[in-house]
Amino acid sequence: MNVSPKWTAKLLIIMLLATAFMAACSQQGSESQTGTKGSNTESAGGAGGTGTTPNKDKEESANPPAASVTVEFWHAFGEGEEEVLLQDVLPKFHDQHPNITIKPTRMPTENLEQQVITAVAGKVAPDIMRMDNTWIAKFAKEGALQPVDGYPGFGDIKAASFDAPVSTSYYNGQYYGIPLDTNTKIAIYSKELLQEAGASEPPATMDELVDLARKMKEKGKFGITIGGVDAWNMPPWFWSLGGRITNDEYTEASGYLNSPESVKALETMLSWHEEGLLAPPILAGQPGTWEGLRGEEGMAASYMMINEGPWFFGILGDSVKDTMIPAKMPGGPDGKSHSVIGGQNLVLFKGAKHADEAWQFAQFMSTEEIQLLMALKTGAIPTNVKAAKSEELNDVYYLKYYVEELETALARTPSAEWDRISQAFQDAFESAFRGQATAKDALDKAAAEIDSLLKGK
């Protein structure tokens, strides 16, 4: 793999740490290795896909595989998730593929991206990795990943999954991964304050939400809470109100981020802010979103609603079951809400020693059975539609709202320059909310900056 000049400065520094880092990974991997050995089995999955030739970058693909193969798998699962992987998931995989041993290595989340860069540069990357979906385009551009849309069964996985999580692996006309687990954001209401505003159920539209927010203002409280002007907290509101960041191909921002509809969406939120309907977190004020919704120690709750991911319920558990109401985001001009996609995807590295077997593992992890198992035991939101809508998940009272939101959710721009794109987006919205630029001027500037980044300048 040729490393571009953009990474040279980083690599001169981080390669000094590579030896120690890889030694630590080797020790972790040996401690968590699991699996059994045996005879070869056929690859799972149908002949779906795009019909393109797989770019597997390994000469041995034409030869029969060895009697036993060990696939290196990096992940950053939490402790509980890793326990399910080791005790429940991998034994099932080895029952079906007894010749393949999966060697999982739990990676530290701190500086993980830099650690992956180090491994790629040192040609010691694993066969397969669970990777943050916003990193994929960056590593694909640098030639670190191989496209997977030519592998057998890719088309089946794509068809069985929610559209937005799949789209996070798209870069420059090809797919470089498949979604493993996903998340999005929904509206969460204080049952007490919702009733105080005179509502018996969450608002279905933005206009209804604004009406309730005005009633909250009369009581000295806030009806709408947006967690910040960044590219994670703002898009669910911006998109739902009719805004866009780029075209569908993720190649242009001008004419989309600064379109009349986008300008109007930002102006609408600015009007809420000027009217005093937005809670302080929009510009990093206090109390924070969770504290304002639940009430800080010695203070009553003052936020009627927030927009948050499933970790809210995962962390707080049953303590909020009777006091908080999960709901879809209120619909905008098109009658729909459009939240944001987060999550992790499975990717295969260029030069993987056992790419075919790694792909079999990726297929296995995307099946309805395994997706449902992980959801039931870890709370992960499945990317497989049938698993996500399974009756077995009905007991997870908040999950159905996230699943419904996934139907219309959108991906953050899958670009190798996402970090800089998100910063340009945030700068534009912050300048508008702080009164330093009009909505149109702020979005015009950001659109031009993002156009340049999308074209690789």
Side-chain angles (χ1 to χ4, degrees):
M1 184 195 82
N2 294 323
V3 181
S4 73
K6 285 174 51 181
W7 282 13
T8 301
K10 290 183 179 180
L11 294 175
L12 289 174
I13 298 174
I14 62 180
M15 283 301 292
L16 297 176
L17 304 175
T19 302
F21 160 66
M22 293 312 303
C25 289
S26 176
Q27 182 178 2
Q28 272 191 298
S30 62
E31 291 173 353
S32 59
Q33 181 171 345
T34 184
T36 57
K37 300 178 181 180
S39 60
N40 186 34
T41 58
E42 294 294 327
S43 174
T50 63
T52 59
T53 301
N55 179 11
K56 302 179 187 177
D57 193 44
K58 67 186 197 74
E59 296 177 358
E60 70 268 26
S61 61
N63 302 318
S68 179
V69 166
T70 297
V71 172
E72 298 279 349
F73 171 45
W74 285 6
H75 66 85
F77 280 128
E79 184 175 346
E81 295 168 318
E82 183 184 42
E83 183 177 351
V84 174
L85 175 74
L86 297 177
Q87 296 184 4
D88 299 294
V89 175
L90 293 186
K92 287 180 178 291
F93 176 76
H94 293 299
D95 284 345
Q96 297 180 28
H97 304 274
N99 72 302
I100 304 174
T101 297
I102 303 298
K103 182 180 178 183
T105 299
R106 183 182 176 190
M107 302 295 290
T109 57
E110 187 175 357
N111 297 320
L112 178 56
E113 185 178 3
Q114 296 295 336
Q115 294 169 14
V116 178
I117 293 173
T118 301
V120 169
K123 301 185 185 303
V124 288
D127 297 293
I128 185 170
M129 179 180 175
R130 175 180 179 261
M131 177 179 285
D132 188 286
N133 61 35
T134 62
W135 300 357
I136 292 175
K138 181 186 303 183
F139 281 98
K141 181 180 180 181
E142 297 301 330
L145 306 179
Q146 55 178 294
V148 299
D149 44 12
Y151 276 89
F154 172 81
D156 297 332
I157 295 172
K158 184 174 183 289
S161 304
F162 290 102
D163 290 341
V166 170
S167 71
T168 62
S169 289
Y170 183 81
Y171 173 71
N172 199 26
Q174 290 191 281
Y175 291 89
Y176 286 84
I178 59 172
L180 177 61
D181 49 77
T182 190
N183 59 69
T184 187
K185 303 181 77 180
I186 64 170
I188 302 173
Y189 295 85
S190 162
K191 184 176 182 180
E192 178 184 357
L193 295 192
L194 191 63
Q195 292 175 343
E196 191 175 327
S200 58
E201 58 186 23
T205 68
M206 289 289 184
D207 288 342
E208 292 175 4
L209 175 63
V210 170
D211 288 341
L212 294 178
R214 290 186 175 123
K215 293 177 181 178
M216 282 285 96
K217 181 184 176 183
E218 293 174 358
K219 301 176 182 295
K221 300 174 183 178
F222 297 96
I224 306 173
T225 306
I226 303 176
V229 293
D230 56 275
W232 172 251
N233 283 296
M234 184 57 70
W237 300 91
F238 182 61
W239 287 331
S240 295
L241 287 167
R244 296 187 67 182
I245 299 177
T246 70
N247 58 356
D248 292 339
E249 294 73 33
Y250 309 111
T251 57
E252 290 182 274
S254 290
Y256 300 91
L257 181 57
N258 59 345
S259 69
E261 294 80 7
S262 291
V263 172
K264 183 177 180 180
L266 178 51
E267 287 177 341
T268 297
M269 288 183 283
L270 290 172
S271 72
W272 297 347
H273 182 54
E274 292 165 0
E275 193 177 342
L277 305 181
L278 294 185
I282 186 63
L283 289 174
Q286 296 297 321
T289 55
W290 291 26
E291 294 83 1
L293 180 71
R294 302 178 65 214
E296 293 183 309
E297 186 175 346
M299 295 180 62
S302 58
Y303 301 168
M304 184 184 72
M305 67 84 69
I306 65 172
N307 175 236
E308 190 57 281
W311 40 84
F312 177 87
F313 297 99
I315 292 172
L316 298 178
D318 289 341
S319 67
V320 297
K321 187 173 183 178
D322 296 326
T323 60
M324 301 297 159
I325 302 177
K328 283 195 67 177
M329 283 281 292
D334 65 354
K336 300 177 182 178
S337 59
H338 300 280
S339 197
V340 63
I341 286 292
Q344 307 281 333
N345 297 1
L346 290 174
V347 298
L348 273 60
F349 283 91
K350 197 80 171 288
K353 295 178 181 178
H354 304 293
D356 288 333
E357 292 80 6
W359 176 248
Q360 291 180 60
F361 178 58
Q363 286 180 292
F364 174 81
M365 294 296 287
S366 71
T367 61
E368 180 182 350
E369 176 191 3
I370 300 305
Q371 291 266 304
L372 182 57
L373 186 154
M374 291 296 288
L376 289 170
K377 295 205 170 188
T378 71
I381 299 178
T383 59
N384 178 282
V385 176
K386 287 185 177 179
K389 295 183 177 181
S390 171
E391 291 184 2
E392 295 180 61
L393 294 180
N394 286 346
D395 289 340
V396 186
Y397 72 97
Y398 59 85
L399 190 60
K400 68 177 182 179
Y401 301 100
Y402 289 97
V403 172
E404 289 176 8
E405 201 73 75
L406 284 174
E407 299 280 4
T408 53
L410 300 171
R412 291 167 286 178
T413 307
S415 168
E417 298 293 344
W418 168 246
D419 290 344
R420 295 168 68 187
I421 289 171
S422 65
Q423 188 62 56
F425 178 94
Q426 179 173 332
D427 290 346
F429 278 73
E430 183 158 10
S431 67
F433 271 93
R434 293 193 181 279
Q436 299 166 347
T438 66
K440 188 176 187 312
D441 288 346
L443 295 180
D444 281 343
K445 180 181 178 183
E449 291 177 4
I450 293 173
D451 275 344
S452 178
L453 293 169
L454 291 172
K455 293 173 183 175
K457 295 181 180 178

